[in-house]
Amino acid sequence: MQKLTDLLDRPIVLVGMMGAGKSTVGRRLARRLGLPFVDSDVAIEEASGSKTAELFERFGEHDFRDGERRLVARLVEGDVRVIATGGGAFNDPRTRQLLNDRAITVWLDAPVDVLAERTARRNNRPLLHKGNPAEILSRLMEERQSYYSEAKIHVRSTGTGAHGNVVDAIVDALFKYLAS
């Protein structure tokens, strides 16, 4: 049987809401496939010397997303790897087009109650500081769902079961996608 990595000719990019598990699942997926992993939020922080939340507050969402798009464009060039993007990266039409053209995009879709529980664990989500986090997440999901649905692969993460199950689902979906 052919290995998945033999079929891959471009990066795998995980998109979805904050708290969907893009970073955690991305690391595990990369480990499973023997590929490098990059978290775009971490890469932004390393490049700027500032925390993502600080950049968001200092420059605003529009300028932050512009810088994020330029960084993601660099990340998808070169070696095949697994990349986790920030929750709002795929909203930008230019970023979405770039990622769908140069990578295999995977939407990790989780219910709002799971997102709310996961994002409550840390206080590093600037968009959630302006009201009830569950209500904000629900509104953001409604706004962003049509963008995320443009990803090439859609995998549901229900919050029950291990992250390994989500990795298995992504691997299966990648095989099906690459076979078609």
Side-chain angles (χ1 to χ4, degrees):
M1 184 166 139
Q2 198 167 22
K3 288 181 9 182
L4 181 58
T5 51
D6 293 338
L7 301 172
L8 291 170
D9 62 350
R10 60 207 138 151
I12 301 163
V13 177
L14 304 180
V15 302
M17 290 286 293
M18 62 183 98
K22 299 178 302 290
S23 297
T24 302
V25 169
R27 272 191 284 284
R28 290 174 183 231
L29 178 63
R31 194 174 318 123
R32 165 95 60 92
L33 300 176
L35 295 172
F37 172 75
V38 179
D39 183 314
S40 69
D41 283 344
V42 172
I44 288 169
E45 290 177 356
E46 289 173 354
S48 69
S50 298
K51 294 286 185 195
T52 302
E54 294 168 9
L55 295 169
F56 208 92
E57 292 298 322
R58 189 175 336 149
F59 297 108
E61 185 172 7
H62 181 268
D63 287 346
F64 176 83
R65 297 293 176 211
D66 191 49
E68 181 179 51
R69 179 180 36 75
R70 289 191 310 269
L71 179 115
V72 168
R74 288 194 301 274
L75 292 177
V76 296
E77 296 302 321
D79 296 337
V80 174
R81 63 181 90 188
V82 177
I83 302 166
T85 61
F90 213 59
N91 298 3
D92 180 90
R94 294 175 296 171
T95 303
R96 192 167 53 253
Q97 183 70 47
L98 168 85
L99 292 176
N100 275 330
D101 287 349
R102 297 187 189 169
I104 301 170
T105 50
V106 179
W107 172 23
L108 285 186
D109 183 11
V112 171
D113 61 322
V114 172
L115 300 174
E117 186 270 322
R118 289 178 180 168
T119 57
R121 296 176 192 164
R122 295 190 332 207
N123 192 23
N124 65 338
R125 314 284 184 164
L127 289 176
L128 299 183
H129 295 171
K130 298 175 182 167
N132 179 306
E135 289 174 9
I136 294 168
L137 286 165
S138 185
R139 179 181 49 77
L140 289 172
M141 176 63 95
E142 191 173 309
E143 291 170 4
R144 296 175 176 181
Q145 199 160 9
S146 65
Y147 304 134
Y148 294 142
S149 70
E150 292 181 35
K152 298 183 189 268
I153 295 172
H154 181 191
V155 173
R156 294 193 191 281
S157 171
T158 62
T160 59
H163 289 299
N165 296 338
V166 178
V167 172
D168 291 341
I170 293 171
V171 168
D172 290 345
L174 285 165
F175 267 118
K176 288 176 187 164
Y177 175 79
L178 292 168
S180 62

